[in-house]
Amino acid sequence: MRVLGVDPGLTRCGVGVVEGVAGRPLTMRGVGVVRTPADAELGHRLVAIEQGVEQWLDEHSPEVVAVERVFSQHNVRTVMGTAQASAVAMLCASRRGIPVALHTPSEVKAAVTGSGRADKAQVGAMVTRLLRLDAPPKPADAADALALAICHIWRAPAQNRLQQAVAQNRLQQAAALHAAKTSAATPSAQKGRTA
């Protein structure tokens, strides 16, 4: 599985591509940051992020795009910028028919370091170790993007099994409901024919 991780942000949007499967060594295919000038107009910044994400999609052809789920912070302005950059990444992937997975920061930290409260240095150190890199990717946004991709690769099999179980359960419930409606309708239909 090849996953493009996106750590959304208006000034620095981290991007990283990881390939592999759960339980086996993973390989980094690319890492970087899409940057926009803080003094540029918002619309221009979002277009720059779109263009950057599109280049990564063109170059790496990921099967899935994993994006950090935006959560509420005290700084509403920061949250808004993060949410806008996140939406751009999701739009780019969805326009191409590429599935999008959202992971919370604590999910990513727990998957990569074993603790949902890990700091950026710990995440960077574990990403370096897991991907057998010489040094932690800089800036931290780039390491976070790789951590998102790793998290998705490791969690996808369990999530897929859960989704399949839920879908199977819904299918069984729908079949049971249909059978109940059919059996309830059948006697009255037969009564109408014999009358």
Side-chain angles (χ1 to χ4, degrees), residues 25-158:
L26 303 174
T27 304
M28 181 186 76
R29 295 294 180 201
V31 66
V33 176
V34 176
R35 296 178 187 273
T36 68
D39 59 349
E41 185 180 309
L42 176 62
H44 295 296
R45 296 177 82 182
L46 294 174
V47 168
I49 291 168
E50 178 197 24
Q51 291 169 342
V53 170
E54 290 287 352
Q55 286 178 334
W56 279 82
L57 293 172
D58 286 341
E59 186 176 338
H60 295 283
S61 302
E63 298 165 58
V64 178
V65 173
V67 181
E68 182 179 285
R69 183 183 300 273
V70 178
F71 67 101
S72 180
Q73 294 175 332
H74 298 297
N75 188 342
V76 175
R77 189 170 168 204
T78 301
V79 171
M80 288 303 293
T82 302
Q84 290 161 337
S86 176
V88 168
M90 290 188 287
L91 173 69
C92 291
S94 297
R95 188 167 38 211
R96 293 171 182 239
I98 301 171
V100 175
L102 299 174
H103 298 283
T104 66
S106 58
E107 276 181 300
V108 175
K109 291 173 185 178
V112 175
T113 71
S115 169
R117 297 178 181 261
D119 62 21
K120 290 206 177 270
Q122 290 170 307
V123 171
M126 283 307 295
V127 164
T128 303
R129 187 172 176 192
L130 293 168
L131 296 176
R132 300 169 313 283
L133 305 175
D134 294 332
K138 299 285 184 189
D141 309 272
D144 289 347
L146 292 172
L148 275 152
I150 293 168
C151 173
H152 185 75
I153 290 170
W154 285 354
R155 288 181 170 240

Side-chain angles (χ1 to χ4, degrees), residues 171-193:
L171 187 62
Q172 289 171 347
Q173 287 176 348
L177 182 62
H178 178 72
K181 285 180 179 179
T182 304
S183 66
T186 303
S188 63
Q190 289 174 346
K191 283 180 191 175
R193 279 190 227 129

